[in-house]
Amino acid sequence: QMTNETLKAELGRSSWRLFHTILARYPETPTEYEKSTLKQYIYLFAQVYPCGDCARHFQKLLDKYPPQTINRQVASLWGCDIHNKVNDRLGKEIYDCSTILEDYDCGCGVDEELDQY
Ligand code: FAD
């Protein structure tokens, strides 16, 4: 039986992985609909995140640093920055965001890019 702290950390790692991968695959030139979809996804993610304390903290961070959905680069950097705010609060190392797009390859190739929404 894993401890609660181990489980919470596992959930965090999986969640961040999905979070950053979604942002790295967000369109380079999103439509208004795609922008709105991403924003809603992020706010709803913050509401349904299963660790209650984490969710409350993250919602406060979103109030202060709202999702930036203009394009892939900006959205991915925003995601990296907000994860760094969480890292900072938890006393973790600050991550270098300069290669964020390459760091989160979904393994799904280029041809699926057009149908993701
Ligand atoms: P993680 O922070 O899980 O990161 C996983 C990997 O992502 C790292 O190994 C690194 O390769 C990479 N990475 C690190 N920083 C960045 C970045 N800025 N951008 C891109 N990639 C990066 N835990 C708590 O105890 N209390 C909380 O309040 C809390 N709130 C959370 C809120 C959210 C929305 C999420 C998703 C998780 C939260 N967690 C919280 C979990 C916590 O953030 C970590 O996921 C967990 O502690 C495991 O940490 P880790 O050191 O393995 O790295």
Side-chain angles (χ1 to χ4, degrees), residues 5-6 8-17 19-20 45-46 49 51-59 61 76-77 79-87 89-90 92-97 100 103-104:
E5 281 309 308
T6 308
K8 189 158 78 166
E10 264 310 313
L11 174 68
R13 279 188 286 274
S14 314
S15 303
W16 286 123
R17 171 83 184 265
F19 182 81
H20 294 298
F45 165 78
Y49 194 75
C51 153
D53 259 358
C54 308
R56 270 186 293 280
H57 281 121
F58 197 62
Q59 285 168 33
L61 277 179
S76 294
L77 281 174
C80 191
D81 285 341
I82 205 154
H83 187 170
N84 272 335
K85 308 271 186 222
V86 175
N87 289 343
R89 196 171 59 78
L90 299 178
K92 291 177 192 283
E93 245 178 70
I94 297 308
Y95 188 82
D96 174 7
C97 295
I100 188 75
D103 295 347
Y104 289 91

Side-chain angles (χ1 to χ4, degrees), residues 22-28 30 34-35 38 69 71-72 75 117:
I22 286 173
L23 295 176
R25 292 294 288 187
Y26 181 63
E28 284 169 9
E34 287 167 333
K35 291 179 197 169
L38 183 64
T69 58
N71 61 40
R72 172 182 295 179
Y117 290 94

Side-chain angles (χ1 to χ4, degrees), residues 26-63:
Y26 181 63
E28 284 169 9
T29 52
T31 62
E32 288 310 308
Y33 182 73
E34 287 167 333
K35 291 179 197 169
S36 149
T37 302
L38 183 64
K39 259 187 211 133
Q40 289 179 60
Y41 179 82
I42 292 166
Y43 283 113
L44 292 171
F45 165 78
Q47 284 188 52
V48 300
Y49 194 75
C51 153
D53 259 358
C54 308
R56 270 186 293 280
H57 281 121
F58 197 62
Q59 285 168 33
K60 282 197 192 125
L61 277 179
L62 290 182
D63 286 343

